[in-house]
């Protein structure tokens, strides 16, 4: 019986090729647009998170209490050798212990304020620094006493690789330190803001300059976001006298954008699907009203009211299913085509302000696509119930036109 | 169930008043009517006399305002919409004036459809549908859709569909209204043959005097009441 109804529904769809074709096209476009849009927003979201996490934050960061309000070597901590093995549990992709202090950087031509960061280059695979393009040389190791500055900062300071820069900062004893550093290389980062914000040197070299064998931050990168909450808990339990913060707390703007993107996907979906449901109801009402006599005849012959409803719902369901399938396929093709990303460099400055990279890559999440498919089908069924209900509520004799 | 002594359709004191409009219209008043197994009854009467109304009530397409109607011993007023649909499906064959067939289905599929509604097995279904079409002389048109058939051929398909379920009663409301007189005669011969050969009970409403040459009993309606009820002489 269901098969027969299915056959009837399919033939009815085929009977009105043009109208149903238009409807189908609308569903395809709407579904494709929703999938595409959500994948772009997901891409943006992933990029936001990646940029935030990679900008020295990591997923989780450990700081000494008070460091955030008043950063300096006074607020530092020592790190036990075995700290990682106690909390890792397979979740950690990598970690870096750094010294970060505010400093003034000077060339013969200019002076700027920067965050001066002592790093162990071997650990920096977890941050943007590990993958940054370098003009000149990267730091050799933690003992490397040269300096790495951003390309944009070097331009401002009108200096280049091989020249010397002077750093002025505060030591552990509260006294001012001044030291010269030779430029090992210039790094390029996503956006000039980053390039102007940080200057790097070997962590041991900086510790020696500041007079403290301690770190100011421990940045931990995880394999995946969901491992974050339990990791935070384990760290907090282990490092009781330190602050354990995640990237959302440290980059609230990016975190807010992240949440906003979630909402944007949903709102976009509601708008597109809302318009679609209007069209679908309209098409179905027209098609049902046009067939009142035919449906009446089927009822007269003994087709149960529930079967009549089912037939109309099936019709909408099939239309939706085809539209969703083609729409998802179309979106998939476009996403594949855009896999290398959309170059946003034309608007690069605006984009960077939001903490995003200049290339936007769509990211199609299976759960988003599934949600869109499921909701579309549910909406299709819901939208067809009303016309179907009308079809069986018309008095039989009226339907038969007598 | 249906036995010689039991009426296939029985109306007792049936009235139908249409109250949907501002002024109520009385279409049938206190009609008593009985149709026995194997009868071929022609309902005659001027336009608006209530022929269709009576047919629709007996067919369970409409509900009486008053009185009792039983088909094959089942009191229709006790049935809900679904039960009424099932009764139509299993006990009654309908042939309407026009727009009888599902346009997207072939002749054979139209006939099979009703068996499908009944849940008949596919092989039996196909066989019975083709048999019914063949017995009405349109076996060769089985694969055409209604749009590819003449009105007369369409009515034959409709009759094939109405008898393929072996109903206890065939109801036909002006089955020949859209047909020329030659085709009408053919159709009537067909109905008579079904009545003679299979003992199919038939109730048909018509303006057409031709019909009375084939029906065995004639019931005349006027203003919603039966004014004459007699065997057709020479039938
Ligand atoms: N749905 C309705 N609403 C109001 N009045 C109706 C309705 N259907 C029928 N009537 C009225 O009931 C009366 C009987 O109608 P019915 O259709 O039974 O007549 P009929 O004998 O079949 O006529 P015809 O030969 O023209 O088909 C008529 O006066 C008609 O106007
Ligand atoms: Mg009539």
């Amino acid at each position: 019986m269901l098969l027969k109804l299915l056959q009837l529904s399919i033939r009815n769809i085929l009977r009105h090729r043009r109208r149903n074709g238009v409807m189908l096209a609308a569903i395809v476009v709407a579904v494709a647009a929703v999938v595409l849009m959500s994948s772009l927003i997901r891409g943006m979201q992933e990029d936001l998170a990646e940029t935030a996490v990679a900008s020295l934050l990591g997923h989780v960061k450990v700081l000494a209490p008070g460091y955030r309000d008043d950063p300096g070597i006074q607020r530092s901590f020592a790190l036990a050798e075995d700290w990682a093995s106690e909390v890792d549990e397979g979740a950690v992709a990598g970690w870096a212990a750094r010294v970060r202090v505010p400093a003034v950087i000077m060339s013969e031509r200019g002076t700027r304020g920067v965050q001066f960061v002592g790093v162990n280059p071997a650990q920096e695979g977890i941050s943007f620094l590990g993958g940054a393009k370098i003009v000149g040389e990267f730091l050799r190791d933690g003992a490397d006493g040269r300096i790495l500055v951003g390309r944009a900062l070097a331009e401002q300071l009108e200096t280049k690789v091989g020249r010397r820069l002077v750093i002025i900062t505060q030591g552990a004893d509260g006294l001012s330190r001044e030291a010269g550093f030779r430029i090992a290389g210039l790094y390029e980062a996503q956006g000039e803001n980053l390039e102007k914000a940080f200057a790097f040197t070997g962590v041991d070299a900086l510790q020696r300059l500041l007079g403290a064998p301690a770190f100011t931050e421990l940045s931990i990168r995880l394999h995946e976001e969901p491992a974050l909450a339990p990791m935070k808990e384990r760290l907090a339990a282990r490092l009781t006298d330190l602050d354990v913060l995640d990237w959302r707390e440290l980059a609230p703007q990016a975190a807010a954008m992240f949440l906003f993107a979630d909402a944007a996907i949903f709102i976009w979906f509601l708008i597109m699907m809302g318009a679609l449901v209007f069209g679908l109801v309209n098409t179905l009402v027209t098609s049902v009203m046009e067939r009142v006599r035919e449906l009446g005849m089927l009822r007269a012959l003994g087709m149960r009211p529930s079967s009549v409803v089912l037939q109309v719902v099936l019709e909408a369901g099939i239309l939706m299913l085809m539209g969703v399938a083609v729409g998802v396929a179309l979106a998939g093709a476009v996403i594949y085509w855009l896999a290398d990303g959309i170059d946003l460099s034309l608007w690069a400055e605006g984009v960077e302000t939001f903490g995003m990279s200049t290339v936007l890559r769509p990211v199609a999440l299976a759960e988003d696509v599934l949600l869109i498919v499921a909701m579309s089908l549910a909406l299709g069924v819901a939208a067809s119930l009303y016309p179907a209900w009308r079809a069986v509520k018309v008095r039989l004799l009226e339907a038969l036109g007598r | 169930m249906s036995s010689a002594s039991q009426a296939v359709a029985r109306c007792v004191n049936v009235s139908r008043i249409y109250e949907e409009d501002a002024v109520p219209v009385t279409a049938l008043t206190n009609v008593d009517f009985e149709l026995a197994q194997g009868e071929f009854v022609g309902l005659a009467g001027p336009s608006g006399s209530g022929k269709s109304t009576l047919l629709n009530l007996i067919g369970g397409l409409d509900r009486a305002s008053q009185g009792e109607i039983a088909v094959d011993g089942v009191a229709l007023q006790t049935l809900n919409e679904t039960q009424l649909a099932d009764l139509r499906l299993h006990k009654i064959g309908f042939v309407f004036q026009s727009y009888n067939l599902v346009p997207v289905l072939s002749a054979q599929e139209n006939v099979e459809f009703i068996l499908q509604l009944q849940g008949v097995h596919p092989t039996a279904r196909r066989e019975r549908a083709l048999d019914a079409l063949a017995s009405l002389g349109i076996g060769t048109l089985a694969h055409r859709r209604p749009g590819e058939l003449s009105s007369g051929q369409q009515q034959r398909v409709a009759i094939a569909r109405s008898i393929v379920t072996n109903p206890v009663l065939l109801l036909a409301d002006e089955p020949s209204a859209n047909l020329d007189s030659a085709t009408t005669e053919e159709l009537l011969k067909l109905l008579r043959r079904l009545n003679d050969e299979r003992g199919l009970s038939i109730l048909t409403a018509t303006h057409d005097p031709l019909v009375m040459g084939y029906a065995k009993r004639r019931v005349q309606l006027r203003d919603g009441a039966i004014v004459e009820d007699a065997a057709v002489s020479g039938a």
Side-chain angles (χ1 to χ4, degrees):
Chain A
M1 191 60 229
L2 192 65
L3 264 175
K4 185 80 221 172
L5 291 181
L6 211 61
Q7 183 191 13
L8 252 189
S9 302
I10 291 171
R11 295 215 182 150
N12 276 320
I13 290 171
L14 291 177
R15 180 153 56 133
H16 297 286
R17 285 198 178 80
R18 217 170 70 111
R19 183 176 61 210
N20 288 315
V22 168
M23 195 60 228
L24 197 61
I27 297 172
V28 167
V29 168
V31 169
V34 171
V35 172
L36 204 57
M37 194 65 183
S38 75
S39 78
L40 286 178
I41 295 176
R42 286 288 180 227
M44 191 184 95
Q45 227 175 10
E46 196 154 281
D47 192 74
L48 269 168
E50 174 57 29
T51 308
V53 168
S55 71
L56 303 191
L57 284 184
H59 284 99
V60 198
K61 189 173 254 192
V62 178
L63 298 168
Y67 179 88
R68 281 219 289 169
D69 300 324
D70 184 9
I73 190 64
Q74 287 85 0
R75 286 165 195 78
S76 59
F77 54 90
L79 202 56
E81 285 287 337
D82 57 350
W83 77 269
S85 57
E86 283 181 35
V87 293
D88 187 345
E89 294 190 6
V92 175
W95 56 273
R98 312 185 184 106
V99 178
R100 186 202 300 214
V101 290
V104 168
I105 190 164
M106 294 189 304
S107 68
E108 303 94 59
R109 314 299 286 266
T111 304
R112 290 282 184 279
V114 290
Q115 307 235 34
F116 195 37
V117 190
V119 296
N120 181 343
Q123 294 173 348
E124 290 303 328
I126 67 162
S127 72
F128 77 93
L129 192 62
K133 218 172 103 187
I134 307 283
V135 178
E137 276 177 40
F138 198 61
L139 298 172
R140 274 188 306 272
D141 49 37
D144 197 329
R146 296 174 300 165
I147 192 169
L148 200 59
V149 295
R151 194 185 37 79
L153 183 66
E155 270 167 31
Q156 281 186 325
L157 295 174
E158 296 181 39
T159 185
K160 59 184 188 191
V161 177
R163 296 264 182 83
R164 283 177 71 83
L165 289 170
V166 173
I167 288 280
I168 303 173
T169 185
Q170 197 180 39
D173 51 13
L175 299 174
S176 178
R177 297 279 195 286
E178 184 175 329
F181 288 83
R182 187 167 303 283
I183 299 176
L186 309 179
Y187 68 85
E188 283 178 17
Q190 278 312 342
E192 300 206 333
N193 291 342
L194 267 178
E195 290 178 8
K196 289 177 191 166
F198 300 106
F200 299 93
T201 188
V203 66
D204 301 337
L206 186 53
Q207 280 175 341
R208 222 176 309 115
L209 174 69
L210 300 174
F215 301 101
T216 63
E217 67 182 50
L218 169 63
S219 176
I220 302 163
R221 179 160 191 146
L222 305 176
H223 287 297
E224 46 176 27
E225 177 99 15
L228 200 156
M231 171 56 72
K232 232 181 113 178
E233 247 170 59
R234 288 198 298 272
L235 279 171
R238 170 84 170 76
L239 310 169
T240 43
D241 50 345
L242 298 175
D243 286 349
V244 179
L245 300 157
D246 62 44
W247 69 269
R248 288 165 198 267
E249 294 166 297
L250 292 161
Q253 196 194 0
M257 285 285 291
F258 198 87
L259 284 181
F260 172 74
D262 269 342
I265 287 176
F266 202 68
I267 291 168
W268 178 248
F269 181 82
L270 284 186
I271 292 172
M272 293 301 280
M273 288 296 146
L276 197 61
V277 164
F278 261 112
L280 194 64
V281 168
N282 198 45
T283 303
L284 287 170
V285 168
T286 312
S287 111
V288 166
M289 288 302 125
E290 216 176 64
R291 274 186 293 141
V292 161
R293 286 195 71 162
E294 185 187 321
L295 292 171
M297 192 257 296
L298 293 177
R299 284 165 67 197
L301 292 180
M303 192 170 182
R304 292 183 179 186
S306 53
S307 297
V308 176
V309 169
L310 188 59
Q311 201 225 301
V312 174
V313 169
L314 273 178
E315 230 173 278
I318 292 169
L319 213 53
M320 244 333 181
L321 203 62
M322 292 199 301
V324 166
V326 178
V328 168
L330 181 67
V334 175
I335 289 171
Y336 181 77
W337 180 61
L338 290 176
D340 288 340
I342 303 168
D343 194 351
L344 300 179
S345 50
L346 269 179
W347 307 280
E349 275 180 46
V351 169
E352 279 163 13
T353 330
F354 285 124
M356 285 172 53
S357 58
T358 51
V359 175
L360 179 53
R361 281 188 184 77
V363 175
L365 294 186
E367 63 232 54
D368 283 346
V369 176
L370 275 179
L371 185 75
I372 291 166
V373 168
M375 300 237 330
S376 304
L377 292 179
L379 280 175
V381 168
S384 58
L385 277 176
Y386 168 68
W389 177 79
R390 273 185 63 172
V392 294
K393 276 308 147 202
V394 178
R395 274 188 46 240
L396 195 39
L397 287 182
E398 250 169 73
L400 289 168
R402 59 198 72 199
Chain B
M1 295 301 281
S2 85
S3 65
S5 63
Q6 190 172 25
V8 165
R10 174 185 283 132
C11 302
V12 179
N13 197 26
V14 168
S15 297
R16 177 65 171 101
I17 303 161
Y18 291 105
E19 292 178 287
E20 286 88 45
D21 303 330
V23 185
V25 178
T26 304
L28 282 182
T29 16
N30 309 99
V31 167
D32 291 307
F33 172 71
E34 225 179 276
L35 193 149
Q37 160 68 36
E39 280 198 290
F40 185 169
V41 180
L43 267 182
S47 187
S49 57
K51 303 183 294 292
S52 296
T53 303
L54 185 57
L55 226 56
N56 292 337
L57 290 177
I58 292 172
L61 299 174
D62 192 15
R63 288 180 188 271
S65 314
Q66 182 207 305
E68 282 163 28
I69 301 170
V71 170
D72 202 25
V74 180
L76 301 190
Q77 69 270 15
T78 62
L79 305 180
N80 66 25
E81 286 306 310
T82 300
Q83 292 168 325
L84 215 47
D86 287 349
L87 177 122
R88 290 196 295 267
L89 177 62
H90 292 283
K91 304 210 159 168
I92 298 172
F94 285 101
V95 179
F96 302 112
Q97 180 177 324
S98 60
Y99 214 85
N100 260 310
L101 305 173
V102 182
V104 293
L105 299 181
S106 70
Q108 183 189 338
E109 287 169 332
N110 261 285
V111 177
E112 270 192 50
F113 185 70
I114 196 151
L115 294 174
Q116 222 153 358
L117 286 176
Q118 286 191 341
V120 176
H121 189 273
T123 15
R125 211 159 64 202
R126 181 157 314 119
E127 207 169 296
R128 279 169 69 179
L130 288 172
D131 272 358
L133 289 167
S135 74
L136 298 188
I138 45 171
T140 53
L141 306 178
H143 295 293
R144 294 216 197 153
R145 290 199 182 184
E148 302 158 347
L149 296 171
S150 74
S151 331
Q153 289 167 338
Q154 285 185 35
Q155 285 307 66
R156 278 170 187 251
V157 176
I159 292 172
R161 185 188 56 193
S162 70
I163 61 167
V164 76
T165 56
N166 297 318
V168 298
L169 175 62
L170 178 74
L171 297 175
D173 194 353
E174 320 245 11
S176 59
N178 289 331
L179 307 178
D180 60 46
S181 56
T183 319
T184 301
E185 288 237 33
E186 266 177 50
L187 189 85
L188 289 167
K189 269 186 204 144
L190 201 68
L191 289 179
R192 177 64 180 251
R193 205 184 84 211
L194 291 169
N195 176 251
D196 285 339
E197 290 175 5
R198 305 193 186 189
L200 180 65
S201 311
I202 301 175
L203 177 61
T204 176
T206 184
H207 283 294
D208 197 331
L210 263 179
V211 172
M212 295 311 161
Y214 293 88
K216 293 175 177 168
R217 175 180 157 202
R218 172 193 158 94
V219 173
Q220 176 84 27
L221 281 171
R222 177 163 296 137
D223 296 333
I226 295 178
V227 291
E228 201 189 317
D229 185 346
V232 175
S233 52

PDB file of all heavy atoms in Angstrom, chain B residues 39-62:
ATOM      1  N   GLU B  39     -31.242  -7.112  -7.941  1.00  0.00           N
ATOM      2  CA  GLU B  39     -32.113  -6.165  -8.631  1.00  0.00           C
ATOM      3  C   GLU B  39     -31.308  -5.195  -9.488  1.00  0.00           C
ATOM      4  O   GLU B  39     -30.133  -4.917  -9.220  1.00  0.00           O
ATOM      5  CB  GLU B  39     -32.939  -5.361  -7.621  1.00  0.00           C
ATOM      6  CG  GLU B  39     -34.142  -6.115  -7.089  1.00  0.00           C
ATOM      7  CD  GLU B  39     -35.155  -5.162  -6.456  1.00  0.00           C
ATOM      8  OE1 GLU B  39     -34.814  -4.622  -5.383  1.00  0.00           O
ATOM      9  OE2 GLU B  39     -36.230  -4.952  -7.031  1.00  0.00           O
ATOM     10  N   PHE B  40     -31.947  -4.655 -10.513  1.00  0.00           N
ATOM     11  CA  PHE B  40     -31.376  -3.604 -11.358  1.00  0.00           C
ATOM     12  C   PHE B  40     -32.400  -2.475 -11.359  1.00  0.00           C
ATOM     13  O   PHE B  40     -33.423  -2.563 -12.027  1.00  0.00           O
ATOM     14  CB  PHE B  40     -31.135  -4.143 -12.774  1.00  0.00           C
ATOM     15  CG  PHE B  40     -30.430  -3.173 -13.704  1.00  0.00           C
ATOM     16  CD1 PHE B  40     -29.949  -3.627 -14.929  1.00  0.00           C
ATOM     17  CD2 PHE B  40     -30.245  -1.818 -13.384  1.00  0.00           C
ATOM     18  CE1 PHE B  40     -29.299  -2.760 -15.818  1.00  0.00           C
ATOM     19  CE2 PHE B  40     -29.601  -0.955 -14.260  1.00  0.00           C
ATOM     20  CZ  PHE B  40     -29.131  -1.425 -15.473  1.00  0.00           C
ATOM     21  N   VAL B  41     -32.132  -1.469 -10.539  1.00  0.00           N
ATOM     22  CA  VAL B  41     -33.124  -0.418 -10.316  1.00  0.00           C
ATOM     23  C   VAL B  41     -32.700   0.880 -10.993  1.00  0.00           C
ATOM     24  O   VAL B  41     -31.554   1.317 -10.839  1.00  0.00           O
ATOM     25  CB  VAL B  41     -33.321  -0.155  -8.810  1.00  0.00           C
ATOM     26  CG1 VAL B  41     -34.362   0.954  -8.579  1.00  0.00           C
ATOM     27  CG2 VAL B  41     -33.744  -1.422  -8.100  1.00  0.00           C
ATOM     28  N   GLY B  42     -33.599   1.466 -11.744  1.00  0.00           N
ATOM     29  CA  GLY B  42     -33.361   2.777 -12.333  1.00  0.00           C
ATOM     30  C   GLY B  42     -34.077   3.840 -11.518  1.00  0.00           C
ATOM     31  O   GLY B  42     -35.277   3.730 -11.250  1.00  0.00           O
ATOM     32  N   LEU B  43     -33.318   4.844 -11.085  1.00  0.00           N
ATOM     33  CA  LEU B  43     -33.919   5.956 -10.351  1.00  0.00           C
ATOM     34  C   LEU B  43     -34.205   7.064 -11.357  1.00  0.00           C
ATOM     35  O   LEU B  43     -33.280   7.608 -11.960  1.00  0.00           O
ATOM     36  CB  LEU B  43     -32.940   6.506  -9.317  1.00  0.00           C
ATOM     37  CG  LEU B  43     -32.955   5.994  -7.885  1.00  0.00           C
ATOM     38  CD1 LEU B  43     -31.913   6.741  -7.062  1.00  0.00           C
ATOM     39  CD2 LEU B  43     -34.341   6.165  -7.259  1.00  0.00           C
ATOM     40  N   ALA B  44     -35.471   7.410 -11.505  1.00  0.00           N
ATOM     41  CA  ALA B  44     -35.831   8.449 -12.474  1.00  0.00           C
ATOM     42  C   ALA B  44     -36.388   9.659 -11.733  1.00  0.00           C
ATOM     43  O   ALA B  44     -36.652   9.603 -10.535  1.00  0.00           O
ATOM     44  CB  ALA B  44     -36.840   7.910 -13.468  1.00  0.00           C
ATOM     45  N   GLY B  45     -36.539  10.741 -12.448  1.00  0.00           N
ATOM     46  CA  GLY B  45     -37.109  11.938 -11.815  1.00  0.00           C
ATOM     47  C   GLY B  45     -36.479  13.175 -12.395  1.00  0.00           C
ATOM     48  O   GLY B  45     -35.353  13.119 -12.909  1.00  0.00           O
ATOM     49  N   PRO B  46     -37.184  14.273 -12.313  1.00  0.00           N
ATOM     50  CA  PRO B  46     -36.665  15.516 -12.872  1.00  0.00           C
ATOM     51  C   PRO B  46     -35.422  15.992 -12.110  1.00  0.00           C
ATOM     52  O   PRO B  46     -35.132  15.513 -11.017  1.00  0.00           O
ATOM     53  CB  PRO B  46     -37.827  16.496 -12.697  1.00  0.00           C
ATOM     54  CG  PRO B  46     -38.681  15.914 -11.649  1.00  0.00           C
ATOM     55  CD  PRO B  46     -38.519  14.438 -11.718  1.00  0.00           C
ATOM     56  N   SER B  47     -34.765  16.929 -12.696  1.00  0.00           N
ATOM     57  CA  SER B  47     -33.578  17.491 -12.063  1.00  0.00           C
ATOM     58  C   SER B  47     -33.942  18.077 -10.702  1.00  0.00           C
ATOM     59  O   SER B  47     -34.955  18.762 -10.558  1.00  0.00           O
ATOM     60  CB  SER B  47     -33.004  18.578 -12.967  1.00  0.00           C
ATOM     61  OG  SER B  47     -31.780  18.996 -12.447  1.00  0.00           O
ATOM     62  N   GLY B  48     -33.148  17.778  -9.697  1.00  0.00           N
ATOM     63  CA  GLY B  48     -33.393  18.311  -8.366  1.00  0.00           C
ATOM     64  C   GLY B  48     -34.363  17.492  -7.555  1.00  0.00           C
ATOM     65  O   GLY B  48     -34.719  17.867  -6.436  1.00  0.00           O
ATOM     66  N   SER B  49     -34.767  16.328  -8.074  1.00  0.00           N
ATOM     67  CA  SER B  49     -35.763  15.537  -7.359  1.00  0.00           C
ATOM     68  C   SER B  49     -35.135  14.709  -6.232  1.00  0.00           C
ATOM     69  O   SER B  49     -35.854  14.157  -5.413  1.00  0.00           O
ATOM     70  CB  SER B  49     -36.496  14.630  -8.346  1.00  0.00           C
ATOM     71  OG  SER B  49     -35.571  13.813  -9.032  1.00  0.00           O
ATOM     72  N   GLY B  50     -33.827  14.604  -6.214  1.00  0.00           N
ATOM     73  CA  GLY B  50     -33.187  13.908  -5.093  1.00  0.00           C
ATOM     74  C   GLY B  50     -32.532  12.594  -5.462  1.00  0.00           C
ATOM     75  O   GLY B  50     -32.128  11.834  -4.584  1.00  0.00           O
ATOM     76  N   LYS B  51     -32.366  12.328  -6.749  1.00  0.00           N
ATOM     77  CA  LYS B  51     -31.785  11.049  -7.177  1.00  0.00           C
ATOM     78  C   LYS B  51     -30.356  10.892  -6.655  1.00  0.00           C
ATOM     79  O   LYS B  51     -30.022   9.877  -6.033  1.00  0.00           O
ATOM     80  CB  LYS B  51     -31.767  10.974  -8.722  1.00  0.00           C
ATOM     81  CG  LYS B  51     -33.130  11.139  -9.384  1.00  0.00           C
ATOM     82  CD  LYS B  51     -33.048  10.986 -10.885  1.00  0.00           C
ATOM     83  CE  LYS B  51     -32.245  12.085 -11.588  1.00  0.00           C
ATOM     84  NZ  LYS B  51     -32.883  13.418 -11.542  1.00  0.00           N
ATOM     85  N   SER B  52     -29.552  11.894  -6.949  1.00  0.00           N
ATOM     86  CA  SER B  52     -28.146  11.811  -6.507  1.00  0.00           C
ATOM     87  C   SER B  52     -28.058  11.739  -4.998  1.00  0.00           C
ATOM     88  O   SER B  52     -27.231  11.012  -4.434  1.00  0.00           O
ATOM     89  CB  SER B  52     -27.369  13.027  -7.003  1.00  0.00           C
ATOM     90  OG  SER B  52     -27.328  13.044  -8.405  1.00  0.00           O
ATOM     91  N   THR B  53     -28.913  12.515  -4.347  1.00  0.00           N
ATOM     92  CA  THR B  53     -28.894  12.535  -2.886  1.00  0.00           C
ATOM     93  C   THR B  53     -29.123  11.135  -2.331  1.00  0.00           C
ATOM     94  O   THR B  53     -28.389  10.678  -1.447  1.00  0.00           O
ATOM     95  CB  THR B  53     -29.966  13.505  -2.355  1.00  0.00           C
ATOM     96  OG1 THR B  53     -29.729  14.789  -2.919  1.00  0.00           O
ATOM     97  CG2 THR B  53     -29.917  13.592  -0.849  1.00  0.00           C
ATOM     98  N   LEU B  54     -30.095  10.435  -2.867  1.00  0.00           N
ATOM     99  CA  LEU B  54     -30.405   9.090  -2.388  1.00  0.00           C
ATOM    100  C   LEU B  54     -29.222   8.146  -2.648  1.00  0.00           C
ATOM    101  O   LEU B  54     -28.818   7.369  -1.786  1.00  0.00           O
ATOM    102  CB  LEU B  54     -31.672   8.562  -3.078  1.00  0.00           C
ATOM    103  CG  LEU B  54     -32.166   7.196  -2.577  1.00  0.00           C
ATOM    104  CD1 LEU B  54     -32.423   7.216  -1.074  1.00  0.00           C
ATOM    105  CD2 LEU B  54     -33.410   6.758  -3.333  1.00  0.00           C
ATOM    106  N   LEU B  55     -28.676   8.258  -3.840  1.00  0.00           N
ATOM    107  CA  LEU B  55     -27.534   7.423  -4.213  1.00  0.00           C
ATOM    108  C   LEU B  55     -26.342   7.658  -3.277  1.00  0.00           C
ATOM    109  O   LEU B  55     -25.695   6.717  -2.816  1.00  0.00           O
ATOM    110  CB  LEU B  55     -27.131   7.775  -5.655  1.00  0.00           C
ATOM    111  CG  LEU B  55     -26.856   6.642  -6.620  1.00  0.00           C
ATOM    112  CD1 LEU B  55     -28.051   5.708  -6.721  1.00  0.00           C
ATOM    113  CD2 LEU B  55     -26.523   7.212  -7.994  1.00  0.00           C
ATOM    114  N   ASN B  56     -26.087   8.942  -3.025  1.00  0.00           N
ATOM    115  CA  ASN B  56     -24.950   9.293  -2.161  1.00  0.00           C
ATOM    116  C   ASN B  56     -25.142   8.788  -0.735  1.00  0.00           C
ATOM    117  O   ASN B  56     -24.187   8.376  -0.078  1.00  0.00           O
ATOM    118  CB  ASN B  56     -24.744  10.810  -2.132  1.00  0.00           C
ATOM    119  CG  ASN B  56     -24.280  11.331  -3.476  1.00  0.00           C
ATOM    120  OD1 ASN B  56     -23.729  10.588  -4.271  1.00  0.00           O
ATOM    121  ND2 ASN B  56     -24.534  12.606  -3.741  1.00  0.00           N
ATOM    122  N   LEU B  57     -26.387   8.838  -0.265  1.00  0.00           N
ATOM    123  CA  LEU B  57     -26.654   8.374   1.100  1.00  0.00           C
ATOM    124  C   LEU B  57     -26.433   6.875   1.190  1.00  0.00           C
ATOM    125  O   LEU B  57     -25.800   6.386   2.125  1.00  0.00           O
ATOM    126  CB  LEU B  57     -28.091   8.730   1.503  1.00  0.00           C
ATOM    127  CG  LEU B  57     -28.355  10.220   1.727  1.00  0.00           C
ATOM    128  CD1 LEU B  57     -29.825  10.450   2.058  1.00  0.00           C
ATOM    129  CD2 LEU B  57     -27.484  10.752   2.863  1.00  0.00           C
ATOM    130  N   ILE B  58     -26.962   6.148   0.190  1.00  0.00           N
ATOM    131  CA  ILE B  58     -26.801   4.692   0.220  1.00  0.00           C
ATOM    132  C   ILE B  58     -25.331   4.315   0.059  1.00  0.00           C
ATOM    133  O   ILE B  58     -24.843   3.360   0.665  1.00  0.00           O
ATOM    134  CB  ILE B  58     -27.667   4.041  -0.893  1.00  0.00           C
ATOM    135  CG1 ILE B  58     -29.157   4.212  -0.547  1.00  0.00           C
ATOM    136  CG2 ILE B  58     -27.336   2.560  -1.036  1.00  0.00           C
ATOM    137  CD1 ILE B  58     -30.102   3.786  -1.644  1.00  0.00           C
ATOM    138  N   GLY B  59     -24.625   5.112  -0.725  1.00  0.00           N
ATOM    139  CA  GLY B  59     -23.201   4.828  -0.957  1.00  0.00           C
ATOM    140  C   GLY B  59     -22.295   5.263   0.171  1.00  0.00           C
ATOM    141  O   GLY B  59     -21.080   5.075   0.108  1.00  0.00           O
ATOM    142  N   GLY B  60     -22.882   5.874   1.206  1.00  0.00           N
ATOM    143  CA  GLY B  60     -22.047   6.291   2.329  1.00  0.00           C
ATOM    144  C   GLY B  60     -21.152   7.468   1.992  1.00  0.00           C
ATOM    145  O   GLY B  60     -20.135   7.709   2.640  1.00  0.00           O
ATOM    146  N   LEU B  61     -21.520   8.243   0.976  1.00  0.00           N
ATOM    147  CA  LEU B  61     -20.754   9.448   0.635  1.00  0.00           C
ATOM    148  C   LEU B  61     -21.291  10.646   1.398  1.00  0.00           C
ATOM    149  O   LEU B  61     -20.654  11.686   1.474  1.00  0.00           O
ATOM    150  CB  LEU B  61     -20.836   9.738  -0.861  1.00  0.00           C
ATOM    151  CG  LEU B  61     -20.291   8.660  -1.800  1.00  0.00           C
ATOM    152  CD1 LEU B  61     -20.554   9.014  -3.249  1.00  0.00           C
ATOM    153  CD2 LEU B  61     -18.801   8.461  -1.556  1.00  0.00           C
ATOM    154  N   ASP B  62     -22.478  10.493   1.935  1.00  0.00           N
ATOM    155  CA  ASP B  62     -23.160  11.581   2.624  1.00  0.00           C
ATOM    156  C   ASP B  62     -23.945  10.947   3.765  1.00  0.00           C
ATOM    157  O   ASP B  62     -24.152   9.733   3.775  1.00  0.00           O
ATOM    158  CB  ASP B  62     -24.090  12.291   1.622  1.00  0.00           C
ATOM    159  CG  ASP B  62     -24.622  13.616   2.169  1.00  0.00           C
ATOM    160  OD1 ASP B  62     -24.066  14.107   3.173  1.00  0.00           O
ATOM    161  OD2 ASP B  62     -25.585  14.135   1.592  1.00  0.00           O
TER     162      ASP B  62
END
